Structure formats: structure tokens, C-alpha cells
Amino acid sequence: MATEAINLKPLIATSGTKRTGIVVTGFKTVHEVHTEHGTLYELRVKQPGLASAINQFNIRFAYDVAQSATVPTPRVVPVTTTDGGQQAVLEVEFESEKALTEHLTFIEGRLTAAEKARNYDLKADLAVSGQDERATYHVVRYRVGDQVWDTTAATAGSNRTRHRHDLFGLQPAASLLGLPQQVLGGPEGQRWRNPADWRDRFTTQLNKYSGVDPEEIEVPENDPEKAKEALEKRRWAKLAADAVQVAITDASFVIGYEPKKGTRPDFDAALASTNLRTHLRGPLDFSGTNQAMASGRKLVDHAYADNAITEPEHAVLTGTTPAAFLDDDPRESVVKLIRLVDRVVFPSDIPSLRRTTKVLVEPSPSLLRAKHAQTRGEIRSTLLTAAVGGVDLPAAAMDTPHQRTVRKGIDTTGLPAAELIAAAASAEPSDGRDAARTELAHIAVPGLVNGKVLLGSYGSTGDRRAVSTKLAAARITDDGIALFVEAIDAFAEVMQCRAGREVNARPGELAEGRLRKVADGAVVTTDTTKPADSEWFTSHWPPVKDGDSGGGADTPSDLSPSEEWAAKTNAITGLVENAKKDVTVLDKHFEAMRLLVGPGRDMSADERQGWEDELEKLDSIVESAGKHLRKLRYRSPDTEATTGGLDDFAFATEQVE
């Protein structure tokens, strides 16, 4: 872990004496994350931006790998101690480095496909705003032949890690296989496998050009070698400018695992459980359009006029009274608020159905379509936002019901919050438990949106399933139910804060859940006879010998496809500028030659024929150049998944001629 974190000394600081007991004060940065498979311990520290790797083994990619017959599937096993305990490490064995590279290439392709499905540029966002959200990593031990090495891979944050490295000019393989030495002017076919061997070198190169304006580096026009050297300096200056926003980021590292008592130890499942929680996505961003707000207020006013809601409820929905005052119990106030909004926007009784249809100028219930459900979803979002305390509430949205549900209204069990949670958490299957879980999932969504919502076959890599489908998948698991309760508590906190109330600690074991930061948590050592050893954490790890921790040229290795592509693009740096100059010279040359060899000039037949032969040779070259230029001006419209192979790194579509 020493190469994965910054400023490690505070982590091993101690207080006290042997007589009073030595306490490792640095362990206050270790947080417990409870899952249905046991407790994970996360070390939360500052991380170098070029550290860690994308994850090939989390649940988002498992389905894709299993479905592909061409991707090498490694043997993945948990690491156990000599007494049979399970460490917080996954051990992965590939037959060869080629198989490992093919597997990594496939995952790069999946991430590339995810980028095409996004409506924003994550890399550009990181370059401008930095990485605010903490990524989580765990240790993967790779075995390839007789080689063994450890890497921290992303449990949550593969996309961010990939683009963060891209801003540094690193390919995904560098953080897994090590950096090719040719990147820093070394020999081809060799890698620095140990991060201590290359991260300092790479950082030193960036620091050399930090603050240097790339445009101020002059490129000589008449000296190709010096021009290439200057362009390389420009490249490093640009990398230094791009990387500054993500030079240091917040990160969590899973450093411990304690299986749940009475269950089979399963570190992989515990990681997957946290991945479920951190890759949930909100279904609907809040829309503050005047139309949605106006329609919501009309519905509320008509419901109040018809005595369908009380005066206090009317005050809550119009934003006059904070929703937290619906009940003294925070959880109960959330349940009452969601049911109140549903009663107005998605009613189930006949008089209310008629009123809603009339106010919103909708067709009869049997003719309601998806667009009507979407409109009502936006109205509900505005009412929730107004009730909680204003339009600045982040994404106070809910899953939009299917049009069939809109026609008949949203059902409710009518159970108080405590009974609803107890029924949903029951170990005995029943129709009552199913109904409670369905409503609990529905009530939890506003809190889930603020804490991020739902699992999928590839989570953040472009899962297009409906929110209702994702909720249904989550509510059949114990961890999903626990997540729903945490989300309700999170939303209750927001409501209490907006009402100006003092926020109390959350009830029960969920007080230290994923959606809440643990305040002043501390883990102390129990064995005071073994103080922490500061020699474990040197500036280079393992200790440097003769300039390299490996003590030699390090590991022979081929380039991955993305590294090949990066090497090819780097090799043509400056060639476009050279081509422009050469074409300009050629154009002026022809312009001058036309005056000498044009029609009517005194040339023999042999001379003219020889000249035309030369022009025909040149004509085919110019035609080929024009064809390639037209291809380069267009990008492929293909948004399907890519394999990540070298052919996928294309400028344009081959169809354009």
C-alpha cells in the first residue's frame, strides 16, 4: 500500500506509553463498512493520481466476460492465512501475460462502450473539476507463470481511474503490468513492474514541465530532429497541465475483512455487495420547469378544495411548512411524505383519479401513455422538492411508474414505518413481505438518488434497464433491504436539516452505513507489544538498490493494444505540421512550373510525355492522400460495444470515401 497513498506517517503515529497503552492514532482513518457477508475495513487517505488500476473482476464485467468465448477467464481465489482466515485480497492466475493482456483489453473495450453511452465527457469533467467522489480500491494478487505481484484495483471508480490516468498520459496496462521503459526513453520490450521504479521517474518528468506553457516551446522549422524533441517537450508540458487537477485524489483502500459470524467467508461477495451500493443511479433528475411546478400546485390546491388533503398537508406540499413536521419520528415523516405526494399525483380512488385527470387535462385512464407517466413523475419531483425545502435539493426524484400503474394509482400497505421495515426484513417469505419490500423500495428512492441508485449487469457501463426492474432486483436481497433503510434515513436527515432541527444519530446497526460518513471512528491496536514500524513506509518501497528496486532491467513484456496505439500516435507527433508545410511547398512548386511547362511552351514530344508520366505517378499519391484525409475528417457513428482491440482505436469510419 505504500506506493498507493500520500503522507503515510500520520497513519502510524502513536500516543501513550507501554504503561498506559500505546494507541495508533492514525487508525482513525479506518472505517467499517458492514455488508451481509461481513465487515470490510477501508483506509481513507490521499492517493497519487497515477496510482491504482481499473478492475477486471467486479460484478459489472462478470456477465460480459462469461458471455464472451474469446476472453481468457482467469482462476480467481481468495487469499487465506496459515490458520485459514481470509485476507482482504483476491488472487488471480492467468496462463500467460498474453492472456492477461487480452482480458484487460476486453475490459478497456467495455469502458469505451460505456463512454459512448454517456451524455457527458467524464475525462473533460475531471480535467476541469478534478475528482471529488472518492474511489474505492482493493488488492488483487496476480500470478502469471513464475511472476507474482500485487495491484490495487477499483471496486468503485474504474471509469474515473482510467480517465485520470489518461490525463497523465498513462494507458490502463501501466497500472497493472507496469510502465514500458520506452515511455521514458528506455529500451523497448522491458517494463518497470514495481511502481516504486517508475512513478517517481514519471512524476519527476511531469514536475520538470509543470507551469510551462506548451505554446512557448518553439519548434524549429528546418531541423526535423530538434523539432521532434521540441514537440515531445510540448507533449509533457500539456500532460503536466492536464494532470494537475487530479494529481492528488481522495481514495478508500480495503485493507481488512471480517466475515459475518455463522456464514462462509466470502471476500469477493462482500466486495460485490459494496459495488451494488456504489453503482446505483438516480432515475430522474429534478426538473424545475414552470409547467411542472404550476401543475403540481394546481393539483395540490384542488385536492385541498375537495378535502382530499388536510390544511397541514397542503402547507407541506406548497413549501410553507417543512415536511419534517409531518411526524416526530424522522423515518415516519419520510413515509408520510412519499404517500402524501403519491396520493395527490398518482391517486387510486375514483374521485381523485377524476380530479387528477381533469386538472392535468389528460385523456381517460385507459388512454394514458408513457409521456403522461413522465409528466407526472416530474410533477412529483417538484412537489417533493418544495416539501423538503427548495429546488436546491439534489435530484429529489423517484422512479416513474409504468403507465399501467398510473391508470390505477400506487398501492400502499398503510403500515407505519417501523412495521413496514420489519415486514420487509422478515426472514419468512410471504405476500405481505413482498408488498412491504415493494413499497419500501419505492419510498427509498429519493434517498437512493442522493446516495446513488441501482445495480445492473454492468452498472456504470451503460445498463439501460428500467428503474423499476433495478429496484425489483435489489429488493430480493438482504443487502438491498438494508440499503433501502439507509436511504430512508439519509433522506430523513435532509428533511430534518431543512426544517432546522438537530439531526440525531441514525437508529440501529445501520448508523455507520455507506450513505453516512462515520464521525470520529477509531480502531486501536490490541497488541501493544508490536508497535508500528516506520521502516515499512519509506519513500521507495521496496527499498531501492542500485537505482531500481528490482535491481536490474526488470520484466520483459510486450505492449498492450492501447499501448501500441499510444506509441503509434506518439511516433507521428509533428507529422501533420510537416505534411502541411510539404503540401504548401508542392502547391507553390506546381504553380511556378505551370508557367514553364504549360500549353504552348516549347517542349519536345518526348519531354512532354516524360513530364506527364511523372505527374501520373504523383497523381495516384495525391488521390490516396485525399482519400485518407476525407476519412480522418469523420468519426464513426457506431455506439455498439467494442472489443478494445487495436482496430477499435480508429479515427473514422471506413464507409466514407
Side-chain angles (χ1 to χ4, degrees):
M1 298 297 299
T3 61
E4 303 293 326
I6 291 172
N7 193 17
L8 284 160
K9 287 185 178 180
L11 301 181
I12 57 173
T14 61
S15 64
T17 64
K18 290 184 177 180
R19 183 174 59 82
T20 62
I22 297 176
V23 176
V24 182
T25 57
F27 280 107
K28 66 184 179 182
T29 59
V30 176
H31 294 248
E32 297 181 15
V33 178
H34 301 287
T35 76
E36 60 186 298
H37 301 283
T39 301
L40 297 173
Y41 294 90
E42 291 185 357
L43 176 68
R44 296 184 180 178
V45 293
K46 296 291 185 181
Q47 172 193 33
L50 44 63
S52 298
I54 64 174
N55 192 357
Q56 307 168 74
F57 307 107
N58 71 35
I59 60 173
R60 290 178 293 158
F61 305 133
Y63 178 82
D64 290 341
V65 172
Q67 293 298 309
S68 176
T70 61
V71 181
T73 303
R75 186 175 68 91
V76 182
V77 297
V79 176
T80 57
T81 61
T82 54
D83 60 359
Q86 191 164 133
Q87 295 183 338
V89 179
L90 290 181
E91 185 174 294
V92 181
E93 184 176 356
F94 283 92
E95 292 183 358
S96 64
E97 186 175 296
K98 180 176 183 295
L100 170 56
T101 303
E102 289 176 359
H103 193 102
L104 173 64
T105 299
F106 180 83
I107 301 308
E108 285 186 61
R110 293 307 312 152
L111 292 172
T112 300
E115 290 303 302
K116 293 181 178 181
R118 293 183 189 276
N119 58 3
Y120 66 95
D121 188 332
L122 178 57
K123 179 183 174 182
D125 184 54
L126 291 175
V128 173
S129 306
Q131 181 174 310
D132 296 327
E133 188 178 358
R134 181 188 289 111
T136 303
Y137 302 93
H138 72 278
V139 178
V140 180
R141 177 166 296 160
Y142 287 89
R143 289 187 180 273
V144 177
D146 58 354
Q147 294 187 61
V148 181
W149 70 94
D150 293 343
T151 298
T152 57
T155 297
S158 281
N159 287 290
R160 280 169 283 154
T161 301
R162 175 177 179 245
H163 286 301
R164 197 179 68 215
H165 291 169
D166 200 14
L167 292 173
F168 276 91
L170 296 172
Q171 300 303 314
S175 294
L176 177 62
L177 302 175
L179 186 73
Q181 295 187 20
Q182 68 184 62
V183 171
L184 296 176
E188 294 185 8
Q190 294 287 332
R191 287 183 189 272
W192 286 299
R193 185 78 88 199
N194 192 325
D197 287 339
W198 66 267
R199 285 180 183 165
D200 283 345
R201 286 179 167 92
F202 200 90
T203 302
T204 299
Q205 186 76 348
L206 288 173
N207 286 335
K208 180 180 178 181
Y209 293 97
S210 178
V212 177
D213 185 349
E215 298 303 320
E216 291 183 357
I217 300 175
E218 295 185 5
V219 180
E221 294 186 2
N222 301 320
D223 191 331
E225 287 300 319
K226 288 187 176 180
K228 187 173 183 179
E229 183 180 334
L231 287 168
E232 180 68 3
K233 291 180 179 178
R234 276 191 177 184
R235 186 177 75 87
W236 279 102
K238 186 177 185 307
L239 289 176
D242 290 344
V244 70
Q245 290 292 78
V246 289
I248 298 174
T249 63
D250 290 318
S252 292
F253 295 96
V254 178
I255 62 169
Y257 170 59
E258 184 179 357
K260 187 176 181 179
K261 292 182 179 179
T263 63
R264 180 177 63 86
D266 196 340
F267 176 59
D268 199 9
L271 289 174
S273 177
T274 63
N275 203 44
L276 155 70
R277 293 161 175 260
T278 55
H279 284 90
L280 301 179
R281 288 293 180 266
L284 174 68
D285 287 336
F286 167 67
S287 175
T289 60
N290 291 334
Q291 183 60 50
M293 186 65 77
S295 297
R297 286 173 177 165
K298 284 173 65 177
L299 277 176
V300 172
D301 289 341
H302 280 74
Y304 178 53
D306 290 347
N307 294 318
I309 60 176
T310 64
E311 184 174 351
E313 290 173 335
H314 179 269
V316 166
L317 294 179
T318 55
T320 307
T321 300
F325 289 96
L326 284 172
D327 199 280
D328 292 335
D329 177 28
R331 285 180 178 174
E332 191 65 45
S333 64
V334 173
V335 173
K336 286 186 175 180
L337 174 61
I338 304 304
R339 288 173 177 171
L340 172 61
V341 174
D342 286 344
R343 203 163 76 238
V344 173
V345 184
F346 297 102
S348 56
D349 61 285
I350 298 300
S352 296
L353 283 169
R354 289 173 179 169
R355 180 181 61 250
T356 304
T357 299
K358 182 178 180 180
V359 172
L360 297 181
V361 195
E362 291 178 341
S364 61
S366 63
L367 297 178
L368 290 178
R369 297 292 181 262
K371 64 179 181 179
H372 301 110
Q374 181 69 24
T375 298
R376 290 211 204 176
E378 293 179 0
I379 292 172
R380 179 172 53 180
S381 181
T382 63
L383 291 180
L384 277 170
T385 302
V388 173
V391 294
D392 60 328
L393 178 65
M398 298 186 72
D399 55 312
T400 300
H402 190 274
Q403 61 202 52
R404 291 191 300 270
T405 304
V406 176
R407 293 168 187 166
K408 64 179 182 179
I410 294 179
D411 294 327
T412 175
T413 62
L415 295 172
E419 295 180 20
L420 180 67
I421 292 171
S426 172
E428 296 298 326
S430 66
D431 293 341
R433 187 184 74 166
D434 292 343
R437 289 187 167 189
T438 299
E439 186 175 17
L440 190 69
H442 175 69
I443 291 172
V445 174
L448 287 170
V449 172
N450 290 318
K452 298 187 207 43
V453 189
L454 265 175
L455 78 158
S457 56
Y458 2 103
S460 64
T461 58
D463 185 9
R464 303 294 184 85
R465 293 185 301 169
V467 174
S468 57
T469 304
K470 297 178 182 181
L471 287 170
R475 70 179 185 238
I476 63 174
T477 68
D478 293 340
D479 194 61
I481 299 303
L483 177 63
F484 294 156
V485 177
E486 289 179 34
I488 291 172
D489 288 340
F491 195 53
E493 261 190 19
V494 174
M495 290 169 57
Q496 299 297 314
C497 288
R498 293 300 174 85
R501 290 180 170 181
E502 182 179 351
V503 177
N504 298 319
R506 297 182 190 173
E509 297 178 355
L510 298 171
E512 298 180 356
R514 285 293 290 180
L515 300 180
R516 178 183 175 89
K517 294 182 178 179
V518 181
D520 300 324
V523 178
V524 298
T525 55
T526 55
D527 187 355
T528 58
T529 63
K530 295 182 179 180
D533 186 352
S534 61
E535 293 182 2
W536 296 344
F537 304 98
T538 59
S539 58
H540 292 271
W541 184 89
V544 176
K545 296 179 181 178
D546 301 326
D548 284 282
S549 65
D554 222 309
T555 311
S557 178
D558 294 327
L559 296 177
S560 70
S562 59
E563 287 174 332
E564 286 183 52
W565 177 252
K568 287 178 183 293
T569 55
N570 190 39
I572 63 172
T573 299
L575 292 186
V576 172
E577 289 296 325
N578 292 338
K580 285 163 60 178
K581 294 175 184 176
D582 292 341
V583 171
T584 301
V585 170
L586 188 63
D587 179 56
K588 292 181 178 179
H589 175 72
F590 284 152
E591 183 180 10
M593 290 299 295
R594 184 177 182 279
L595 300 176
L596 299 176
V597 300
R601 298 294 180 262
D602 189 15
M603 297 180 69
S604 67
D606 288 342
E607 288 174 333
R608 190 173 296 281
Q609 184 61 48
W611 182 255
E612 289 181 357
D613 288 344
E614 291 300 318
L615 288 180
E616 284 183 2
K617 295 177 183 177
L618 186 62
D619 187 57
S620 62
I621 297 174
V622 173
E623 182 180 356
S624 175
K627 181 177 69 173
H628 289 297
L629 181 61
R630 287 192 297 274
K631 289 182 178 181
L632 286 171
R633 293 179 62 186
Y634 295 91
R635 291 186 179 275
S636 171
D638 177 32
T639 58
E640 296 299 318
T642 61
T643 64
L646 191 59
D647 293 339
D648 291 327
F649 297 91
F651 282 117
T653 176
E654 293 296 320
Q655 281 74 34
V656 179
E657 293 292 344

